[in-house]
Amino acid sequence: MNEDPKTPVPEGSADPAVGPSRRDFLKATTLGAVAGALAGGAIAEPLPAPAAYLDPRGFAAPKLERVRIGFVGVGLQGGSHVRNFLAIDGVDIRAICDIDAPRAEEVAGWVVAAGRPAPELYTRGDYDWRRLCARDDLDLVFTATPWRWHVPVCVEAMRAGKHAATEVPAATTIDGCWELVETAEQTLRHCLMMENCCYGRREMMILRMVREGVLGEVLHGEAAYIHDLRAIKFSAKNEGLWRLEHSKARNGNLYPTHGLGPVAQCMDIQRGDAFDYLVSMSTPQRGLSLYAAKQFGKDDPRARQHYALGDLNTSLIQTKLGRTILLQHDTTTPRPYSRLNLVMGTEGTVAGYPDRAYLEARSKEEDWVDLETYRSEFDHPLWTRSERDAEGAGHGGMDYLEDLRLVECLRRGEPLEMDIYDAAAWSVVSELTEISVANRGKSVDFPDFTRGRWASRSPLPIGGFGGGGLEGSKR
C-alpha cells in the first residue's frame, strides 16, 4: 500500500475522556525515572481481560465453516499472501483495498483467474479501509501496509467484529501494543501478527528439538535481523516510499520480531516465562550517509540528511526466569543476511547462518555438526506433511505455512499458534529499545500484557503446532 509517510496516524492516541496516553506521559517525564513503571502499566491501568481470554490454552473463537477475507494493502508482501490464500481450501477473498488502484485491480484479477468471484475494490484514498472493515460479510481483515497503519486497521477491524491479521511489526509503540491487546480482549476477536519466521523449517526443527529435551534446559538465545536494505530504503517504490522515514527519526531496534519470535517460542515466552527487562545501545550512523554519498553524490540532500538510526543496535533481554537473549538489528551495513537463530541449553547448542549444532551426547569434542544431520529425526510434522504444498511460496515456503495454519485454526475454532500477547511482547521491543538507547543504555521493564497470566498459560504444544490438518488443503 503506497502512501505519504508524513501523514500522522498515531498509535495508541490518548482519549480525552481517559486522560494522557502512556506515550504522552513518557514524553512529559524524565525517561529513565519512569520507564520501568510506565512499561509495567502503572501509569494507565489496563482493562481486565474477559473470561474467554483467561483460558490457559489461549483464546479460541467459534469455528468458521469458511474464512472470508478482506485485504488492506496488496503490494509485494500483501500480494504474496493473496496467492497463498487462493491455494488454501476454505477461503473466500471478498475485498481488496489499496490506494494504488491498478495494483488492486491486478491482484483482483488473480482471484478471478483462480475461478473465484471478483472481490470488491476499495481504492478511494488512505482511509478507504474503513469502508472495507464495515462490511458484514468478512471474518478476517488482513493488513500488509506500511507499519504506521497496522494498529489503526486492526483496531477498526476488531471493533467491526472481524478478526485481524497484520504483517510485522504489529505496532511500533507501547501504546499501540496495549491498544491492540485491549481491543482484542474486549471485542473477543483474534489479532495475529504474521511472524513468518516462526514457520521456517530450521526454526520449527529447533523448536521440536527443544520440546523433546535434546538441548536440556534452555538458558540463552541469540536473535537478529541483519539485512542490507540500503538500496531498498533509497528506492522510489515499494518500501522505499516509507521505510527510510523511520531511519531518519528513530534509533533502536526497529524490526525485532523475525529473529526474536522463534527464540521466544523456544523459551515459552508468555507461556511459562516472560520478558522482564532490556538494555540497548546503538553504534553511530554511517551506512546510510556513506551509501547516499556514493550513489547520489556528497552534496545530494539524501547524503546530507541526518539519520537517527545507528547502524547496529544491540540489546540484551532478561526473562522472568533469568534466561538471556542477545538481540541485534542492522539494515545499513554491507553484511550477509542473518537472523543468528541460536538456542543454547545445558546439553547442547544449535545455531543458524550457517546452520549447525553441538549436542554433548552426540558430538565430538568442540566440533560443530551440520544441523541437517538431524533433519530426519527432528523435522517438524507441519513441514513433513506440507512441504509439497509450500513449494515455491514466499520466503522458502514459510509464508504459505503460516497462512495455512491461520485458516486451519480459524476453521477448527482452536487457539492460534501466535496470539495477541505474542504480537505485543515481540513488537514492543521497538520502543523499549528506543527508550534505553536515549538514556545511555539504562534498563527498561517490559509491559506485562498478560497481567501475570504468563506463569500459568499453557506452552505451545509441539503436537498441535502444525500437526494434522484439514482434509482438502491444497495448492
Side-chain angles (χ1 to χ4, degrees):
M1 183 173 179
N2 302 327
E3 40 82 18
D4 178 5
K6 298 182 178 64
T7 304
V9 180
E11 288 184 1
S13 301
D15 182 338
V18 298
S21 71
R22 298 169 178 83
R23 184 176 178 86
D24 291 338
F25 188 93
L26 183 63
K27 286 182 175 179
T29 316
T30 303
L31 292 178
V34 303
L38 175 62
I43 303 305
E45 187 67 25
L47 298 171
Y53 262 93
L54 300 180
D55 191 322
R57 297 167 296 180
F59 169 67
K63 64 183 179 180
L64 301 171
E65 182 177 349
R66 300 185 66 83
V67 182
R68 302 168 298 175
I69 305 178
F71 276 90
V72 180
V74 288
L76 296 180
Q77 187 65 1
S80 176
H81 282 292
V82 170
R83 289 196 182 279
N84 290 340
F85 283 112
L86 286 173
I88 298 171
D89 194 36
V91 173
D92 299 320
I93 297 177
R94 295 289 183 90
I96 290 175
C97 175
D98 200 295
I99 67 170
D100 184 344
R103 174 63 174 178
E105 293 168 0
E106 177 189 5
V107 175
W110 303 347
V111 180
V112 174
R116 315 288 182 84
E120 187 170 349
L121 301 185
Y122 295 80
T123 59
R124 298 180 186 172
D126 287 354
Y127 292 89
D128 211 20
W129 46 267
R130 288 175 171 165
R131 288 200 305 129
L132 180 148
C133 290
R135 292 174 64 111
D136 60 6
D137 63 344
L138 298 179
D139 303 301
L140 173 71
V141 173
F142 191 115
T143 179
T145 60
W147 302 341
R148 69 186 184 90
W149 295 97
H150 291 179
V151 171
V153 172
C154 288
V155 168
E156 185 92 6
M158 289 186 284
R159 288 176 178 169
K162 284 75 173 172
H163 301 300
T166 176
E167 267 297 337
V168 298
T172 61
T173 67
I174 298 166
D175 279 349
C177 290
W178 272 116
E179 187 171 7
L180 290 177
V181 169
E182 292 175 347
T183 304
E185 292 173 340
Q186 298 305 315
T187 60
L188 297 181
R189 292 297 181 266
H190 289 297
C191 185
L192 168 71
M193 180 174 66
M194 303 298 288
E195 183 38 78
N196 57 346
C197 293
C198 289
Y199 290 86
R201 194 161 197 169
R202 75 163 68 82
E203 284 84 354
M204 297 192 79
M205 176 179 169
I206 292 171
L207 176 61
R208 180 177 178 183
M209 295 174 76
V210 168
R211 291 302 169 80
E212 295 190 12
V214 176
L215 303 183
E217 180 186 358
V218 174
L219 300 176
H220 174 75
E222 296 181 8
Y225 184 68
I226 296 171
H227 190 185
D228 184 357
L229 298 180
R230 292 173 296 171
I232 289 176
K233 289 185 181 186
F234 285 109
S235 172
K237 60 182 180 179
N238 300 320
E239 292 185 17
L241 297 173
W242 56 270
R243 196 159 185 163
L244 186 63
E245 296 302 315
H246 291 272
S247 297
K248 293 178 181 178
R250 304 169 58 200
N251 189 11
N253 189 321
L254 307 191
Y255 205 63
T257 73
H258 276 348
L260 185 59
V263 170
Q265 289 187 334
C266 287
M267 290 187 176
D268 292 331
I269 299 301
Q270 307 285 52
R271 296 173 173 84
D273 198 359
F275 298 141
D276 192 1
Y277 64 92
L278 64 71
V279 297
S280 185
M281 59 189 69
S282 294
T283 70
Q285 186 284 130
R286 298 288 185 268
L288 291 176
S289 296
L290 291 171
Y291 182 88
K294 181 178 180 180
Q295 296 294 319
F296 314 118
K298 64 180 182 179
D299 294 326
D300 188 276
R302 289 165 289 187
R304 302 176 67 179
Q305 168 73 44
H306 170 74
Y307 300 101
L309 180 64
D311 285 357
L312 175 66
N313 175 267
T314 299
S315 305
L316 287 173
I317 299 173
Q318 184 140 58
T319 75
K320 297 287 189 181
L321 299 186
R323 295 182 284 199
T324 56
I325 300 171
L326 168 71
L327 181 64
Q328 293 189 320
H329 175 273
D330 177 1
T331 56
T332 58
T333 65
R335 298 175 60 181
Y337 182 93
S338 176
R339 296 196 298 272
L340 295 184
N341 199 33
L342 182 144
V343 180
M344 183 193 81
T346 56
E347 296 180 21
T349 298
V350 292
Y353 304 93
D355 294 346
R356 58 203 187 278
Y358 179 83
L359 306 180
E360 186 175 42
R362 306 188 188 199
S363 302
K364 297 179 181 179
E365 187 174 358
E366 296 190 14
D367 187 12
W368 289 103
V369 173
D370 189 333
L371 186 62
E372 192 66 25
T373 303
Y374 302 110
R375 172 75 60 205
S376 61
E377 185 176 359
F378 297 109
D379 205 7
H380 196 278
L382 175 58
W383 273 97
T384 56
R385 78 169 169 96
S386 303
E387 179 177 10
R388 181 175 298 178
D389 292 339
E391 186 177 355
H395 297 99
M398 65 175 74
D399 290 4
Y400 172 79
L401 296 184
E402 70 169 345
D403 291 338
L404 173 67
R405 287 301 295 151
L406 170 59
V407 171
E408 289 183 344
C409 289
L410 290 176
R411 294 184 67 196
R412 291 173 174 171
E414 297 177 346
L416 303 184
E417 292 161 352
M418 298 178 290
D419 63 15
I420 183 56
Y421 303 118
D422 297 315
W426 303 349
S427 297
V428 80
V429 167
S430 286
E431 188 169 19
L432 299 187
T433 59
E434 292 178 68
I435 295 170
S436 183
V437 168
N439 286 270
R440 297 171 55 85
K442 289 184 179 179
S443 65
V444 183
D445 290 349
F446 275 82
D448 181 4
F449 297 106
T450 70
R451 287 76 132 199
R453 287 182 275 112
W454 59 266
S456 58
R457 296 181 80 223
S458 303
L460 192 68
I462 185 64
F465 188 26
L470 291 171
E471 295 297 323
S473 294
K474 59 182 181 295
R475 278 186 68 81

